[in-house]
Amino acid sequence: MPNWPTLRRRRLARELANLRESVDMTIEDAAARAGISPSHLSRVERALVGVRVPVVRALLTTYGASPSTAATLVEVAQTATQRGWWHRYAGSIPDEYATYIGFEADAARIWNFELISIPGLLQTERYTRAVLAGGVARLAEEEIERRVEVRLRRQALLHRENPPALWVVLDEAAIRRQVGSPETMAEQLNHLVTIAGLPHVDVQVLPFAAGAHPGTPGAFVVLGFTDPADREVVYIETMAGDLYPEGDADVQAAVQAFDRLRATALGPDDSVLMIRDTAKEFA
């Protein structure tokens, strides 16, 4: 089973590193007192590997953590080992995609810019099949079925109790490029109009007339979380693999780019009108 990182593991890693630094202790000293190797502790603090609860307790004792802090972090350590529904698809989906699904499931807000296609969270089943069939990888029918299933299961978060706030900005090309049959596109765009009517969803279209814009390099997602201490996660899908830029400047650049995109795009009402009219053209 892949060792996919989660938001909780990142949070635990950050807090353990902060506690060690607060007592001015080296990784070597802390690892020796906790009975683990320095290389393992280094990987734990970078959220590259999980950590067992007994080791967490040993580290907290080593750092002299307060009872309340210790109780909180032990609870985080326990939940960090719990597997989400997507783990059953190990081997069927890329590790980077599984990592993204885990972050997405924990997000309080999702900002998504798409340049040429409808975002996965808003895709219909027929549209998803057409996207997968026309992708870079030549997938067997069985593989396409599994990936369609994963995508549809992801969409359940939009209808759960306390769903994330989703804000999508689409380049006009995304609603005009025919994916699948005209009927598939009409169905997809009408579905987009329906989802845009949910109180926690905003959809905007960036018209061709806007010219060059900050999203010209490609699609990206910014995931925000409830705890202010959890920094935004930026996700960029590329042919060479999925990227998670972690530098402060990179994260801030993505946030600013999305702010400029939604300021340039049509308002939500005008965007829905354009999407509805485009659906009629396909129909």
Side-chain angles (χ1 to χ4, degrees):
M1 179 68 66
N3 198 19
W4 293 326
T6 63
L7 179 66
R8 286 174 289 277
R9 188 195 297 175
R10 290 205 322 165
R11 182 181 303 154
L12 180 64
R14 182 186 67 243
E15 294 297 338
L16 289 175
N18 289 342
L19 284 171
R20 179 180 59 78
E21 293 169 357
S22 72
V23 295
D24 198 23
M25 189 177 295
T26 66
I27 284 182
E28 289 73 18
D29 288 342
R33 297 191 189 189
I36 59 176
S37 69
S39 61
H40 180 61
L41 180 55
S42 176
R43 292 195 296 272
V44 167
E45 291 190 358
R46 288 179 289 158
L48 297 178
V49 296
V51 56
R52 294 181 295 110
V53 172
V55 173
V56 172
R57 294 186 189 277
L59 289 170
L60 293 171
T61 299
T62 298
Y63 303 148
S66 67
S68 61
T69 296
T72 298
L73 293 185
V74 166
E75 182 180 359
V76 171
Q78 291 170 335
T79 58
T81 61
Q82 296 175 357
R83 292 176 176 173
W85 60 263
W86 53 92
H87 282 78
R88 63 174 292 200
Y89 296 95
S92 297
I93 58 177
D95 288 354
E96 296 90 346
Y97 182 35
T99 295
Y100 174 77
I101 295 173
F103 287 142
E104 181 183 71
D106 285 326
R109 64 183 181 278
I110 303 171
W111 294 350
N112 191 174
F113 170 71
E114 289 292 340
L115 194 59
I116 60 171
S117 63
I118 306 301
L121 283 179
L122 304 180
Q123 290 179 6
T124 63
E125 183 173 342
R126 286 203 296 176
Y127 184 95
T128 296
R129 291 182 191 280
V131 167
L132 293 173
V136 175
R138 293 186 178 275
L139 302 175
E141 186 61 33
E142 182 180 351
E143 184 70 13
I144 290 177
E145 290 300 320
R146 283 197 294 268
R147 297 200 183 193
V148 168
E149 184 179 344
V150 170
R151 193 155 301 181
L152 295 178
R153 289 201 64 174
R154 279 177 55 205
Q155 296 174 5
L157 67 83
L158 293 179
H159 306 285
R160 73 188 184 193
E161 187 176 357
N162 297 320
L166 174 65
W167 200 312
V168 174
V169 177
L170 301 171
D171 189 278
E172 187 175 346
I175 67 171
R176 295 203 178 275
R177 177 177 298 279
Q178 180 175 320
V179 176
S181 67
E183 292 79 13
T184 296
M185 280 303 299
E187 176 189 51
Q188 173 61 73
L189 296 179
N190 285 322
H191 176 69
L192 193 57
V193 169
T194 299
I195 295 297
L198 296 176
H200 54 282
V201 177
D202 288 286
V203 176
Q204 292 180 264
V205 176
L206 189 64
F208 291 142
H213 54 73
T216 301
F220 64 94
V221 182
V222 180
L223 302 172
F225 306 95
T226 301
D227 190 337
D230 292 322
R231 189 178 60 177
E232 291 94 344
V233 168
V234 175
Y235 172 73
I236 303 172
E237 185 178 3
T238 74
M239 289 183 63
D242 298 345
L243 304 178
Y244 291 92
E246 295 188 10
D248 290 339
D250 294 328
V251 172
Q252 190 59 31
V255 171
Q256 291 176 349
F258 193 83
D259 281 338
R260 290 173 59 193
L261 286 166
R262 60 184 177 181
T264 306
L266 298 174
D269 291 341
D270 288 337
S271 296
V272 166
L273 287 175
M274 176 182 279
I275 295 169
R276 185 179 286 119
D277 288 343
T278 307
K280 292 177 181 177
E281 293 174 15
F282 279 110

